Coordinates of all heavy atoms in Angstrom, one line a residue:
T992 N 0.8 -1.2 0.0 CA 0.0 0.0 0.0 C 0.9 1.3 0.0 O 0.6 2.2 -0.7 CB -0.9 0.0 1.2 OG1 -1.8 -1.2 1.2 CG2 -1.8 1.2 1.2
Y993 N 1.9 1.2 0.8 CA 2.8 2.4 0.8 C 3.5 2.6 -0.5 O 3.5 3.8 -1.0 CB 3.9 2.1 1.9 CG 5.1 3.0 1.8 CD1 5.0 4.4 2.0 CD2 6.4 2.5 1.5 CE1 6.1 5.2 1.9 CE2 7.5 3.3 1.4 CZ 7.4 4.6 1.6 OH 8.5 5.5 1.5
R994 N 4.0 1.6 -1.2 CA 4.6 1.8 -2.5 C 3.6 2.2 -3.5 O 3.9 3.1 -4.4 CB 5.3 0.4 -2.9 CG 6.5 0.1 -2.0 CD 7.0 -1.3 -2.3 NE 8.2 -1.6 -1.5 CZ 8.7 -2.8 -1.4 NH1 8.1 -3.8 -2.0 NH2 9.8 -3.0 -0.7
Q995 N 2.4 1.7 -3.5 CA 1.3 2.2 -4.4 C 1.0 3.6 -4.2 O 0.7 4.4 -5.1 CB 0.1 1.3 -4.3 CG -1.0 1.6 -5.2 CD -0.6 1.5 -6.7 OE1 0.1 0.5 -7.1 NE2 -0.9 2.4 -7.5
T996 N 1.0 4.1 -2.9 CA 0.7 5.5 -2.6 C 1.8 6.4 -3.2 O 1.5 7.4 -3.7 CB 0.6 5.6 -1.1 OG1 -0.4 4.8 -0.5 CG2 0.3 7.1 -0.7
V997 N 3.0 5.9 -3.1 CA 4.1 6.7 -3.7 C 3.9 6.8 -5.2 O 4.1 7.9 -5.8 CB 5.5 6.1 -3.4 CG1 6.6 6.8 -4.1 CG2 5.7 6.2 -1.9
L998 N 3.6 5.7 -5.9 CA 3.4 5.7 -7.3 C 2.2 6.6 -7.7 O 2.3 7.3 -8.7 CB 3.2 4.2 -7.8 CG 4.4 3.3 -7.7 CD1 4.0 1.9 -8.1 CD2 5.5 3.8 -8.6
T999 N 1.1 6.5 -7.0 CA 0.0 7.3 -7.2 C 0.3 8.8 -7.1 O -0.1 9.6 -7.9 CB -1.2 6.9 -6.3 OG1 -1.5 5.5 -6.5 CG2 -2.4 7.8 -6.6
A1000 N 1.1 9.1 -6.1 CA 1.5 10.5 -5.9 C 2.4 11.0 -7.1 O 2.2 12.1 -7.5 CB 2.3 10.7 -4.6
L1001 N 3.3 10.2 -7.5 CA 4.1 10.5 -8.7 C 3.2 10.7 -9.9 O 3.4 11.7 -10.7 CB 5.1 9.4 -8.9 CG 6.3 9.3 -8.0 CD1 7.1 8.0 -8.2 CD2 7.2 10.5 -8.0
Q1002 N 2.3 9.8 -10.1 CA 1.4 10.0 -11.3 C 0.6 11.3 -11.2 O 0.4 12.0 -12.2 CB 0.4 8.8 -11.3 CG -0.6 8.9 -12.5 CD -1.7 7.8 -12.4 OE1 -1.7 7.0 -11.5 NE2 -2.6 7.8 -13.4
E1003 N 0.1 11.6 -9.9 CA -0.7 12.8 -9.8 C 0.1 14.1 -10.1 O -0.4 15.0 -10.8 CB -1.2 12.9 -8.3 CG -2.1 14.1 -8.1 CD -2.6 14.1 -6.6 OE1 -1.8 14.4 -5.8 OE2 -3.8 13.9 -6.4
V1004 N 1.3 14.1 -9.7 CA 2.2 15.3 -10.0 C 2.5 15.3 -11.4 O 2.5 16.4 -12.1 CB 3.5 15.2 -9.1 CG1 4.4 16.4 -9.5 CG2 3.1 15.4 -7.6
E1005 N 2.9 14.2 -12.0 CA 3.2 14.2 -13.5 C 2.0 14.6 -14.3 O 2.1 15.4 -15.2 CB 3.6 12.8 -13.9 CG 4.9 12.3 -13.3 CD 6.1 12.8 -13.9 OE1 6.0 13.8 -14.7 OE2 7.3 12.4 -13.6
D1006 N 0.8 14.1 -13.9 CA -0.4 14.5 -14.7 C -0.7 16.0 -14.6 O -1.0 16.6 -15.7 CB -1.6 13.7 -14.1 CG -1.6 12.2 -14.4 OD1 -0.8 11.8 -15.3 OD2 -2.4 11.5 -13.8
N1007 N -0.6 16.5 -13.4 CA -0.9 18.0 -13.3 C 0.2 18.8 -13.8 O 0.0 20.0 -14.1 CB -1.2 18.3 -11.8 CG -2.6 17.7 -11.4 OD1 -3.6 18.2 -11.8 ND2 -2.5 16.6 -10.7
L1008 N 1.5 18.3 -13.9 CA 2.5 19.1 -14.5 C 2.2 19.3 -16.0 O 2.3 20.5 -16.5 CB 3.9 18.3 -14.3 CG 4.7 18.5 -13.1 CD1 5.9 17.6 -13.1 CD2 5.1 20.0 -12.9
I1009 N 1.8 18.3 -16.7 CA 1.6 18.4 -18.1 C 0.3 19.2 -18.3 O 0.2 20.0 -19.2 CB 1.5 17.0 -18.7 CG1 1.4 17.1 -20.3 CG2 0.4 16.2 -18.2 CD1 2.6 17.7 -20.9
L1010 N -0.7 19.0 -17.4 CA -2.0 19.7 -17.6 C -1.8 21.2 -17.4 O -2.3 22.0 -18.1 CB -3.0 19.1 -16.6 CG -3.6 17.8 -17.0 CD1 -4.6 17.3 -15.9 CD2 -4.4 17.9 -18.3
A1011 N -1.1 21.5 -16.3 CA -0.9 23.0 -16.0 C -0.2 23.7 -17.2 O -0.5 24.9 -17.4 CB -0.1 23.1 -14.7
A1012 N 0.7 23.0 -17.8 CA 1.5 23.6 -18.9 C 0.6 23.7 -20.2 O 0.6 24.7 -20.9 CB 2.8 22.9 -19.1
Q1013 N 0.0 22.5 -20.5 CA -0.6 22.5 -21.8 C -2.0 23.2 -21.8 O -2.4 23.7 -22.8 CB -0.8 21.0 -22.2 CG 0.5 20.2 -22.4 CD 1.3 20.9 -23.5 OE1 0.8 21.3 -24.5 NE2 2.6 20.9 -23.3
L1014 N -2.7 23.2 -20.7 CA -4.0 23.8 -20.6 C -3.9 25.3 -20.8 O -4.8 26.0 -21.3 CB -4.7 23.4 -19.3 CG -5.3 22.0 -19.3 CD1 -5.9 21.7 -17.9 CD2 -6.3 21.8 -20.4
Q1015 N -2.8 25.9 -20.3 CA -2.6 27.3 -20.5 C -2.5 27.6 -22.0 O -3.1 28.6 -22.5 CB -1.3 27.8 -19.8 CG -1.1 29.3 -19.9 CD 0.2 29.7 -19.1 OE1 0.9 28.8 -18.6 NE2 0.4 31.0 -19.1
Q1016 N -1.8 26.8 -22.7 CA -1.7 27.0 -24.2 C -3.0 26.7 -24.9 O -3.5 27.4 -25.8 CB -0.6 26.1 -24.8 CG -0.4 26.2 -26.3 CD 0.7 25.3 -26.8 OE1 1.3 24.6 -26.0 NE2 0.9 25.3 -28.1
E1017 N -3.7 25.6 -24.4 CA -5.0 25.3 -24.9 C -6.0 26.4 -24.7 O -6.8 26.6 -25.6 CB -5.5 24.0 -24.3 CG -6.8 23.5 -24.9 CD -7.2 22.2 -24.2 OE1 -6.4 21.5 -23.6 OE2 -8.4 21.8 -24.3
A1018 N -6.0 27.0 -23.6 CA -6.9 28.1 -23.3 C -6.7 29.3 -24.3 O -7.7 29.9 -24.7 CB -6.8 28.6 -21.8
Q1019 N -5.5 29.6 -24.6 CA -5.2 30.6 -25.5 C -5.7 30.3 -26.9 O -6.3 31.1 -27.6 CB -3.7 30.9 -25.6 CG -3.3 32.0 -26.5 CD -4.0 33.4 -26.2 OE1 -4.2 33.7 -25.0 NE2 -4.3 34.1 -27.2
L1020 N -5.6 29.0 -27.3 CA -6.1 28.6 -28.6 C -7.6 28.6 -28.6 O -8.2 29.0 -29.7 CB -5.6 27.2 -28.9 CG -4.0 27.1 -29.1 CD1 -3.6 25.6 -29.3 CD2 -3.6 27.9 -30.3
Q1021 N -8.2 28.3 -27.5 CA -9.7 28.3 -27.4 C -10.2 29.8 -27.5 O -11.2 30.0 -28.2 CB -10.1 27.7 -26.1 CG -10.0 26.2 -26.0 CD -11.0 25.4 -26.9 OE1 -11.9 26.0 -27.5 NE2 -10.9 24.1 -26.9
R1022 N -9.5 30.7 -27.0 CA -9.9 32.1 -27.1 C -9.8 32.6 -28.6 O -10.7 33.3 -29.1 CB -9.0 33.0 -26.2 CG -9.1 32.8 -24.7 CD -8.3 33.8 -24.0 NE -8.4 33.6 -22.5 CZ -7.5 32.9 -21.9 NH1 -6.4 32.4 -22.6 NH2 -7.6 32.7 -20.6
E1023 N -8.7 32.2 -29.2 CA -8.6 32.5 -30.6 C -9.7 31.9 -31.5 O -10.3 32.5 -32.4 CB -7.2 32.1 -31.2 CG -6.1 32.9 -30.5 CD -4.7 32.4 -30.9 OE1 -4.7 31.4 -31.7 OE2 -3.7 32.9 -30.4
S1024 N -10.0 30.6 -31.1 CA -11.1 29.9 -31.8 C -12.4 30.6 -31.6 O -13.3 30.7 -32.5 CB -11.2 28.5 -31.4 OG -12.3 27.8 -31.9
L1025 N -12.7 31.1 -30.4 CA -13.9 31.7 -30.0 C -14.1 33.0 -30.8 O -15.1 33.4 -31.3 CB -14.0 32.0 -28.5 CG -15.2 32.7 -28.0 CD1 -16.5 32.0 -28.4 CD2 -15.2 33.0 -26.5
E1026 N -13.0 33.8 -30.9 CA -13.0 35.0 -31.6 C -13.3 34.8 -33.1 O -14.2 35.5 -33.7 CB -11.7 35.7 -31.5 CG -11.4 36.3 -30.1 CD -10.0 36.8 -30.0 OE1 -9.2 36.8 -31.0 OE2 -9.6 37.3 -28.9
A1027 N -12.7 33.8 -33.7 CA -13.0 33.5 -35.0 C -14.5 33.0 -35.2 O -15.2 33.4 -36.2 CB -12.1 32.4 -35.5
A1028 N -15.0 32.2 -34.3 CA -16.4 31.7 -34.4 C -17.4 32.9 -34.2 O -18.4 33.0 -35.0 CB -16.6 30.7 -33.3
Q1029 N -17.1 33.8 -33.3 CA -18.0 35.0 -33.2 C -18.0 35.9 -34.4 O -19.0 36.4 -34.8 CB -17.6 35.8 -31.9 CG -17.9 35.0 -30.6 CD -17.4 35.8 -29.4 OE1 -16.5 36.6 -29.5 NE2 -17.9 35.5 -28.2
R1030 N -16.8 36.0 -35.0 CA -16.7 36.8 -36.2 C -17.4 36.2 -37.4 O -18.2 36.8 -38.2 CB -15.2 37.1 -36.6 CG -15.0 37.9 -37.9 CD -15.7 39.2 -37.8 NE -15.5 40.0 -39.0 CZ -16.2 41.0 -39.3 NH1 -17.2 41.4 -38.6 NH2 -16.0 41.7 -40.4
T1031 N -17.3 34.8 -37.5 CA -18.0 34.1 -38.5 C -19.5 34.2 -38.3 O -20.3 34.3 -39.3 CB -17.6 32.6 -38.5 OG1 -16.2 32.5 -38.6 CG2 -18.4 31.8 -39.5
L1032 N -20.0 34.2 -37.1 CA -21.4 34.3 -36.8 C -21.9 35.7 -37.2 O -23.0 35.8 -37.8 CB -21.7 34.1 -35.3 CG -23.1 34.3 -34.8 CD1 -24.1 33.4 -35.6 CD2 -23.2 34.1 -33.3
E1033 N -21.2 36.7 -37.0 CA -21.6 38.1 -37.4 C -21.7 38.2 -38.9 O -22.7 38.7 -39.4 CB -20.6 39.1 -36.9 CG -20.6 39.2 -35.4 CD -19.5 40.2 -34.9 OE1 -18.7 40.7 -35.8 OE2 -19.3 40.4 -33.7
I1034 N -20.8 37.6 -39.6 CA -20.8 37.7 -41.1 C -22.0 36.8 -41.6 O -22.7 37.3 -42.5 CB -19.4 37.2 -41.7 CG1 -18.3 38.1 -41.2 CG2 -19.5 37.0 -43.2 CD1 -16.9 37.6 -41.6
T1035 N -22.2 35.7 -41.0 CA -23.3 34.8 -41.5 C -24.6 35.4 -41.3 O -25.5 35.3 -42.1 CB -23.2 33.4 -40.8 OG1 -21.9 32.9 -41.0 CG2 -24.2 32.4 -41.3
L1036 N -24.8 36.1 -40.1 CA -26.1 36.7 -39.9 C -26.3 37.9 -40.9 O -27.5 38.0 -41.4 CB -26.1 37.3 -38.5 CG -26.3 36.3 -37.3 CD1 -26.2 36.9 -36.0 CD2 -27.7 35.7 -37.5

C-alpha cells in the first residue's frame, strides 16, 4: 500500500505538471477559436 501510494503521488504530480502547462496553451487557442467563431457568426447573420 505504501509503495502504491508513492506511485499514485508521482502520477498525480506528473499528470498535473503536463496539464498545467498544456491547458494554458490550450486556453489561448480556445480564445482565438472563439473570436473566429464569433466573427463568422456576425458575417453569416
Side-chain angles (χ1 to χ4, degrees):
T992 301
Y993 164 64
R994 291 171 177 167
Q995 183 60 44
T996 302
V997 173
L998 292 175
T999 303
L1001 288 171
Q1002 178 187 2
E1003 186 180 67
V1004 174
E1005 295 281 10
D1006 290 347
N1007 290 284
L1008 274 175
I1009 188 66
L1010 285 175
Q1013 296 301 319
L1014 287 175
Q1015 183 177 5
Q1016 180 180 0
E1017 182 178 341
Q1019 180 59 35
L1020 294 174
Q1021 289 286 359
R1022 292 188 187 93
E1023 296 174 0
S1024 174
L1025 176 59
E1026 292 175 359
Q1029 291 175 338
R1030 180 57 180 160
T1031 301
L1032 176 58
E1033 294 174 358
I1034 296 174
T1035 305
L1036 283 173

